[in-house]
Amino acid sequence: MKYLLAILFFGALVAIYIVLYLMNKKTPRPEGCEDLKADCDGCKDYACTNNPAHNQVKGE
Amino acid sequence: MGELMALLVTSVLVNNVILTQFLGMCPFMGVSKKKSSAIGMGVAVVFVIVVAALVTYALYYLVLVPLQLEFMDLITFILVIASLVQLTEMFIKKTSPALYKSLGVYLPLITTNCVVLNVCLVNISNSYNFAQMLVYSIGTPLGFALVLFIFSTIRERLEQSEVPNAFVGNPIALIVAAIMAMAFSCFTGIV
């Protein structure tokens, strides 16, 4: 019973996250904020979508 | 009251989350090149940590403990923080464009900031009461924001200084961070 509760609780949390993620994605950005960029070029985490490396043209 | 003040000073200065616990190093190095970015990130971290700590604390004692699911604290806190960041971003998008302009870019980055998870877990593992939890959850991100701001002002000065080629960029920043860590270690013992 305890583990079933744990699985249900975990499932509920994941569902809440997915719903909030989709709602956030659908919410339009305010005017003037469409092209905001983070000044985090000191960070070497290239997996992060905010990393400026993603905005560079190949061969640059 | 004295105990709470001691906890505040400890969390801001003595046990500074960046310089003594080495957490949150990614934003510390990544978002400290400009003063304005450091202030934006600092404010966003303070906001998210306080909200995340309140929610996770309530969830732990009102849901996990009664259901005997304490072993799920880590996964629960990770998902709660990720959800909270989405919710906060959506809320700010709809209500305050000006605030979104200054914090919006940094909100998704906070999901991966281990300081947030650390505060939530320490609140539970140290069995803090509500007042202690609140003070610790405000003090820790304040310490983070303070160090980030000081570090960004130093890095702005470094940009205008003549630094040997081999040390330009992150190497000199790491040396500055090491000196700052030594300076902050002097706070040990004041409380």
Side-chain angles (χ1 to χ4, degrees), chain A residues 2 6 9-10 13 17 20-21 23-24 27-30 32-33 36-44 48 50, chain B residues 26 30 33 37 63-64 68-69 71-72 75-76 79 82-83 86-87 89-90 93 97 100-101 105 109 170:
Chain A
K2 188 172 152 185
F9 185 67
F10 177 71
L13 286 174
Y17 174 72
L20 286 172
Y21 174 78
M23 281 170 71
N24 185 26
T27 309
R29 289 180 178 184
C33 302
L36 290 180
K37 281 176 189 163
D39 297 321
C40 46
D41 50 351
C43 176
K44 299 299 175 198
C48 175
N50 280 309
Chain B
C26 179
K33 279 197 158 181
S37 316
V63 178
L64 295 183
Q68 295 178 320
L69 297 176
F71 62 92
M72 285 190 68
I75 189 78
T76 303
L79 283 165
S83 303
Q86 298 293 336
L87 189 70
E89 193 178 347
M90 193 167 61
K93 266 184 196 173
Y100 184 77
K101 209 166 190 175
V105 183
L109 294 176
N170 283 342

Side-chain angles (χ1 to χ4, degrees), chain B residues 111-126:
Chain B
T111 314
T112 54
N113 190 340
C114 49
V115 178
V116 188
L117 185 62
N118 171 63
V119 171
C120 298
L121 289 172
V122 167
N123 284 335
I124 301 304
S125 63
N126 286 2

Side-chain angles (χ1 to χ4, degrees), chain A residues 38-45 51-52, chain B residues 18-19 22-34 37-38 41 106 109 113 115 144 147-149 151-152 155-156 158-159 167-180:
Chain A
D39 297 321
C40 46
D41 50 351
C43 176
K44 299 299 175 198
D45 181 5
N51 195 295
Chain B
I18 295 178
L19 297 176
F22 306 111
L23 295 170
M25 294 306 287
C26 179
F28 178 62
M29 294 304 294
V31 199
S32 56
K33 279 197 158 181
K34 285 183 190 164
S37 316
M41 185 67 173
Y106 304 109
L109 294 176
N113 190 340
V115 178
F144 177 88
V147 169
L148 197 64
F149 178 72
F151 193 56
S152 69
R155 284 190 84 174
E156 278 192 354
L158 278 175
E159 288 287 317
F167 290 99
V168 173
N170 283 342
I172 192 72
L174 285 169
I175 291 170
V176 171
I179 295 168
M180 279 179 71

Side-chain angles (χ1 to χ4, degrees), chain A:
Chain A
M1 186 64 188
K2 188 172 152 185
Y3 294 107
L4 183 68
L5 267 176
I7 292 166
L8 285 174
F9 185 67
F10 177 71
L13 286 174
V14 171
I16 289 170
Y17 174 72
I18 292 170
V19 169
L20 286 172
Y21 174 78
L22 292 175
M23 281 170 71
N24 185 26
K25 213 175 172 186
K26 278 184 183 174
T27 309
R29 289 180 178 184
E31 266 180 46
C33 302
E34 292 85 2
D35 198 27
L36 290 180
K37 281 176 189 163
D39 297 321
C40 46
D41 50 351
C43 176
K44 299 299 175 198
D45 181 5
Y46 294 110
C48 175
T49 50
N50 280 309
N51 195 295
H54 288 277
N55 303 321
Q56 282 174 1
V57 183
K58 262 190 178 177
E60 205 174 288

Side-chain angles (χ1 to χ4, degrees), chain B residues 8-75:
Chain B
L8 184 69
V9 174
T10 305
S11 56
V12 175
L13 299 173
V14 182
N15 280 339
N16 187 277
V17 77
I18 295 178
L19 297 176
T20 61
Q21 299 180 54
F22 306 111
L23 295 170
M25 294 306 287
C26 179
F28 178 62
M29 294 304 294
V31 199
S32 56
K33 279 197 158 181
K34 285 183 190 164
K35 237 182 331 191
S36 55
S37 316
I39 293 170
M41 185 67 173
V43 173
V45 168
V46 172
F47 179 74
V48 170
I49 287 184
V50 172
V51 176
L54 285 168
V55 173
T56 53
Y57 188 81
L59 208 58
Y60 185 82
Y61 285 109
L62 299 177
V63 178
L64 295 183
V65 171
L67 294 177
Q68 295 178 320
L69 297 176
E70 295 95 332
F71 62 92
M72 285 190 68
D73 57 352
L74 185 63
I75 189 78

